[in-house]
Amino acid sequence: MANNNRRQVFGRLGGAIVLVIGGLWAAGLTPLAAFGPAPDTKPSSAPQLKTLSAKAGRRITTITIETSDPVAYLTSRPDPLTLLLDLRDVEAASGARAALAAKGVVAGATVEDAKAPDGARVVRVRIALTQPASHQVRSKRNVIYVDLDSAFPLGSAGVSPNPAAGVMPGRFATSLEAVRGDAEPKGAVVTLTGNGELSVDSVTPLGDGTARVVLEFPNVRSKTPPDTFVGRGPVSVVHVTTTGAVPTTRVVIDLLRPASYRVVPPEDGGKDFKIYFEEDGPATAVAVAPPAMVATLDPIGSLLAAPRGAGIITRGVPQQQQQQGVPVPGAQGATQIGPTAQRFSGNPVTLDFQGADLRVVLRTFADISGLNIVIDQAVQGSVDVALHEVPWDQALDIILKDHKLGYSVDGTIVRIAPITVLADEETQRRKLSDEQALTGELQVLTRPLSYAKAVDLTPLLTRTALSPRGDVQIDTRTNTIIIRDLASRLQGAAQLIDSLDRPQPQVEIEARIVTTTRNFARELGVQWGFNGRVAQDLGNTTGLAFPNQGSITGRTGNVQGPVQGVITDHAGSVVNLGIPTASSAIGLALGSVNGSVNLDIQLSALESSGNGRILSTPRVTTQNNVPAEITQGVQIPIQTVSNNTITVSFRDAALKLNVTPQITASNTVILNVALENSTPDFSRAINGIPPIDTQRALTSLLVNDGQTTVIGGIYVSQQQATNDHTPGVYKIPLLGWLFRRETVRDQSRELLIFITPRVIKM
């Protein structure tokens, strides 16, 4: 339990530490001496632990540890009544080894010599407590403060409230009720509201390339949404999660850009826990309500602990944001290479090097920052820079970029190496991880399929779910799929099969083909004949020797004048403009007694009209994305002769519907339709083979479930007027109708095709 509360904090140089090479030149020091000892000089003495003291307040007991220089420290809680603070590479002065007397919740404190896991020497301050109390470590320059709060005994998960210490159950929050973000003049504030006082266990600025602040509240559950969008100042989104059997609520505040922040816990009896984010550039004085904490997110924020404390805190960190194509430290053991937006907040330094050894310069930055730096053997070269008053972390990034170097973070150690070396290590690490993932015993999964076909799922499973060691076999008789692979891959394959082996919805497609016709015809005609004779037998000769007799008659008909000397009174046709298929006719015949003159007139007329309607309704049902076809009609034999060989082939003259439906997520249906309505016309047959009257539609369309739509239509209209007449005389008023025939025809035909899809729920 104590190990879960362990956190590592590196002290950072105060804002007053500014290295100015020009001033050092005036003091007679070389630039190399200003940043660290030369390779052949004796290293400076280690920092000293000078004093150890304690001060007890009404609620908070503070232990003050003073060192000669800023140092790195590590805190841990082996048990609720013991707090260890290890100072790395520090020597204890003789006066600082005296035991600290009891004060407040502190039963005592001693100074011991110990070793870190990597063998480095540390001075350990062992603090014994009289009762469980939460702790907070903050530093300011070369002074480390340890605040022990008896009112918050939940610093270690599982510690219950202590009634003897005046902390009664119900005072502290057990649930996070609300998360709210508000704008502030210089940034934003995030307010966390609990059902009591919220007690924070840790506040961590993460510098993994995305600026964020992480807070953990032990013994607290969350009733808030997992994500709360703020969009105020530098604050983007607040994420809340609760984990563990003993609940711990983790609040992650994602920022749009790096910013300074301060944490203000609730006052006595209050329920609002506030985190203020500010984007001010120059030095500012910020009043913080105790026990507030202040930190800054920067490119190396995961390794540097920002000053934290109560009262008045003055900060003067240059805020510059540039695009740098250098690695950004991420999580422990991570390596990042590529362009990223960085915010530099290191103390300003002035550098002036000409031909200096690259490795020596990089060691200089270890002295400036207090970081643990390891330089790869492949790092070689010289440095020529002239930088004035720039943040030291920006200067380091520029030098690394200029020499194509990157760095990786492993715990508390920063390793500098060529980018190619880091990239190759990452490739090898990933390859090793992949190979380790492929180790293990192969297991077999047998799954009979109900709806999908095993042969269809095999390629998909091989490409998406199986490892290179896996294989798939199928049993077509029972439609069973057999998979052999690692246990971890079989689980994913089973989930994929469950999602794919489901019944497909069916679609009923109904088409309606409507053909309408309209015919109108009107014909008016006349047919009349005339004959006349002058002859002795009639007693009406001309009185001339020549011509003594004669006749006049029509010549358009079959009866034309006297035949073989036979006298006839039939009138030959003069105007033959009658209607052969007339539905109505009237005739008039006139003649003389002796038959010398005959007149025969026939009037005929025809008028017809008709309307027709043909409805064809093919209907078919099929599964989603499965083509379907329905046909009804006849096949017409066609006989051909070639090389004395008679061949008979058949051609469809039928009503045919071909369709493939696709059901979309929005309850619509995409249809690929091929519709044909063909009928034989035996009235125009040639050698007994009729032509085929075809109506066809090929289309793709989107239709709502149950909706009817028109996919096509053809409208044909034919009008015809005919006038037959005898030239010239047909223009005589009133009598002109005796010399002409009029015909009027009007035909129209319309084709409409409707289609309706209906999804059948299974």
Side-chain angles (χ1 to χ4, degrees):
M1 178 176 64
N3 292 333
N4 294 332
N5 295 326
R6 178 172 297 179
R7 60 192 179 118
Q8 180 169 343
V9 183
F10 283 86
R12 186 166 62 183
L13 299 180
I17 300 179
V18 179
L19 301 179
V20 181
I21 302 302
L24 297 174
W25 276 109
L29 298 176
T30 64
L32 190 58
F35 289 94
D40 57 350
T41 59
K42 184 178 180 181
S44 60
S45 58
Q48 297 283 318
L49 172 61
K50 297 172 62 176
T51 60
L52 184 66
S53 60
K55 179 181 179 182
R58 185 185 63 175
R59 193 182 83 179
I60 297 177
T61 302
T62 302
I63 296 179
T64 303
I65 303 171
E66 182 181 1
T67 59
S68 60
D69 297 293
V71 298
Y73 55 87
L74 174 70
T75 61
S76 59
R77 295 286 294 265
D79 58 73
L81 297 179
T82 304
L83 172 64
L84 303 180
L85 191 143
D86 293 345
L87 306 179
R88 189 179 180 88
D89 294 329
V90 174
E91 295 179 353
S94 57
R97 290 186 177 271
L100 191 64
K103 190 167 292 187
V105 296
V106 176
T110 59
V111 178
E112 307 170 355
D113 292 326
K115 285 190 177 182
D118 59 355
R121 63 179 181 180
V122 297
V123 169
R124 176 170 296 165
V125 179
R126 181 182 296 271
I127 303 172
L129 306 179
T130 60
Q131 66 183 57
S134 63
H135 72 275
Q136 174 186 323
V137 182
R138 51 192 175 90
S139 63
K140 187 175 182 181
R141 295 187 178 90
N142 60 325
V143 180
I144 301 173
Y145 302 95
V146 181
D147 295 327
L148 298 164
D149 193 346
S150 60
F152 291 89
L154 304 179
S156 298
V159 180
S160 302
N162 188 355
V167 182
M168 300 304 297
R171 171 182 173 182
F172 297 100
T174 58
S175 66
L176 179 62
E177 302 289 334
V179 176
R180 186 179 73 253
D182 300 297
E184 287 287 308
K186 293 185 179 181
V189 57
V190 175
T191 303
L192 309 176
T193 303
N195 60 350
E197 291 186 19
L198 287 169
S199 174
V200 67
D201 180 62
S202 63
V203 181
T204 309
L206 299 181
D208 59 352
T210 301
R212 60 168 60 98
V213 176
V214 181
L215 303 94
E216 291 189 352
F217 298 90
N219 293 317
V220 173
R221 298 185 182 273
S222 174
K223 296 182 179 180
T224 66
D227 300 295
T228 301
F229 176 77
V230 178
R232 304 292 179 89
V235 181
S236 174
V237 183
V238 179
H239 308 283
V240 180
T241 56
T242 301
T243 58
V246 178
T248 296
T249 295
R250 181 183 178 95
V251 179
V252 179
I253 305 174
D254 284 346
L255 304 181
L256 298 170
R257 48 195 172 272
S260 297
Y261 70 89
R262 53 192 174 96
V263 179
V264 181
E267 298 290 343
D268 291 341
K271 298 182 179 181
D272 290 342
F273 191 102
K274 297 187 177 183
I275 308 98
Y276 291 87
F277 294 88
E278 299 179 353
E279 299 182 282
D280 52 330
T284 56
V286 182
V288 183
M293 294 172 284
V294 178
T296 297
L297 299 179
D298 51 42
I300 317 182
S302 62
L303 297 179
L304 299 180
R308 301 171 183 171
I312 303 297
I313 299 177
T314 302
R315 293 179 50 80
V317 180
Q319 299 188 358
Q320 306 178 26
Q321 185 171 351
Q322 301 184 9
Q323 293 286 342
Q324 298 290 331
V326 294
V328 178
Q332 182 172 353
T335 303
Q336 299 185 3
I337 302 174
T340 179
Q342 296 190 12
R343 182 188 182 100
F344 300 106
S345 57
N347 297 304
V349 297
T350 298
L351 304 177
D352 190 353
F353 291 115
Q354 183 174 2
D357 183 72
L358 174 61
R359 301 177 67 88
V360 175
V361 174
L362 293 178
R363 290 178 58 86
T364 299
F365 282 100
D367 297 333
I368 297 174
S369 62
L371 298 176
N372 297 318
I373 294 180
V374 175
I375 304 174
D376 191 91
Q377 295 296 326
V379 175
Q380 301 293 335
S382 59
V383 177
D384 291 278
V385 296
L387 302 175
H388 179 71
E389 290 294 314
V390 298
W392 67 262
D393 48 354
Q394 182 181 9
L396 175 60
D397 283 341
I398 288 294
I399 293 175
L400 294 179
K401 179 181 177 182
D402 184 58
H403 291 80
K404 295 181 175 58
L405 301 177
Y407 54 84
S408 64
V409 180
D410 186 2
T412 64
I413 301 174
V414 178
R415 176 170 170 259
I416 299 176
I419 293 178
T420 55
V421 173
L422 295 176
D424 183 65
E425 291 177 354
E426 183 64 24
T427 301
Q428 296 297 327
R429 185 162 43 249
R430 185 164 50 249
K431 182 178 179 181
L432 178 60
S433 177
D434 294 341
E435 292 178 353
Q436 291 175 345
L438 295 178
T439 60
E441 182 180 356
L442 297 181
Q443 299 182 9
V444 177
L445 170 67
T446 302
R447 181 68 63 87
L449 303 182
S450 301
Y451 306 100
K453 293 183 179 179
V455 67
D456 295 336
L457 287 188
T458 298
L460 183 62
L461 288 171
T462 302
R463 290 193 301 265
T464 59
L466 301 187
S467 70
R469 296 181 60 191
D471 60 76
V472 180
Q473 302 293 330
I474 60 174
D475 179 15
T476 56
R477 182 179 60 87
T478 59
N479 195 32
T480 300
I481 192 165
I482 305 168
I483 307 174
R484 186 179 63 171
D485 205 342
L486 300 172
S488 59
R489 295 300 184 96
L490 290 181
Q491 182 179 1
Q495 293 176 353
L496 182 59
I497 293 175
D498 292 339
S499 63
L500 297 178
D501 187 29
R502 295 180 179 179
Q504 290 293 310
Q506 298 185 150
V507 183
E508 178 192 69
I509 301 99
E510 178 184 356
R512 290 190 291 275
I513 306 172
V514 181
T515 304
T516 61
T517 58
R518 185 178 63 85
N519 298 313
F520 174 78
R522 185 179 66 232
E523 298 183 52
L524 294 175
V526 63
Q527 185 180 23
W528 60 273
F530 170 80
N531 67 8
R533 288 190 302 133
V534 178
Q536 290 181 356
D537 58 341
L538 297 178
N540 60 348
T541 62
T542 62
L544 300 176
F546 180 84
N548 180 263
Q549 63 180 4
S551 67
I552 182 171
T553 184
R555 294 295 183 176
T556 62
N558 294 327
V559 180
Q560 297 180 355
V563 178
Q564 301 292 331
V566 179
I567 301 175
T568 179
D569 57 0
H570 291 163
S573 295
V574 177
V575 176
N576 189 14
L577 296 176
I579 300 174
T581 59
S583 61
S584 301
I586 185 172
L588 176 64
L590 300 174
S592 61
V593 175
N594 58 3
S596 60
V597 178
N598 294 292
L599 178 64
D600 188 0
I601 300 176
Q602 177 182 335
L603 298 177
S604 57
L606 171 67
E607 181 171 317
S608 64
S609 63
N611 294 309
R613 179 175 180 268
I614 301 175
L615 174 62
S616 303
T617 308
R619 180 182 301 174
V620 66
T621 301
T622 182
Q623 287 187 345
N624 185 30
N625 289 315
V626 177
E629 177 180 335
I630 187 171
T631 304
Q632 184 269 329
V634 299
Q635 288 186 326
I636 300 175
I638 300 176
Q639 180 176 298
T640 58
V641 179
S642 177
N643 296 328
N644 296 323
T645 301
I646 300 176
T647 303
V648 179
S649 60
F650 292 87
R651 182 177 176 184
D652 290 338
L655 174 63
K656 183 184 299 183
L657 173 62
N658 261 313
V659 62
T660 303
Q662 178 185 344
I663 303 173
T664 67
S666 57
N667 202 32
T668 59
V669 183
I670 299 175
L671 297 175
N672 292 319
V673 181
L675 183 62
E676 181 177 337
N677 186 20
S678 300
T679 57
D681 187 357
F682 288 96
S683 64
R684 295 181 293 165
I686 301 176
N687 297 328
I689 300 176
I692 297 177
D693 186 6
T694 302
Q695 301 166 348
R696 183 184 296 116
L698 300 174
T699 185
S700 178
L701 68 160
L702 177 66
V703 188
N704 288 328
D705 178 22
Q707 179 184 1
T708 300
T709 185
V710 180
I711 67 173
I714 299 176
Y715 179 76
V716 179
S717 178
Q718 180 180 2
Q719 295 180 350
Q720 182 180 1
T722 306
N723 192 348
D724 300 324
H725 52 259
T726 302
V729 294
Y730 78 95
K731 297 181 180 180
I732 299 175
L734 298 180
L735 296 179
W737 62 272
L738 293 174
F739 300 93
R740 63 189 177 198
R741 178 175 56 195
E742 295 181 352
T743 303
V744 176
R745 286 187 174 86
D746 188 357
Q747 296 180 344
S748 63
R749 184 176 183 181
E750 185 174 9
L751 170 67
L752 291 176
I753 302 175
F754 302 85
I755 197 162
T756 304
R758 297 182 181 90
V759 178
I760 302 175
K761 307 297 184 182
M762 300 301 293

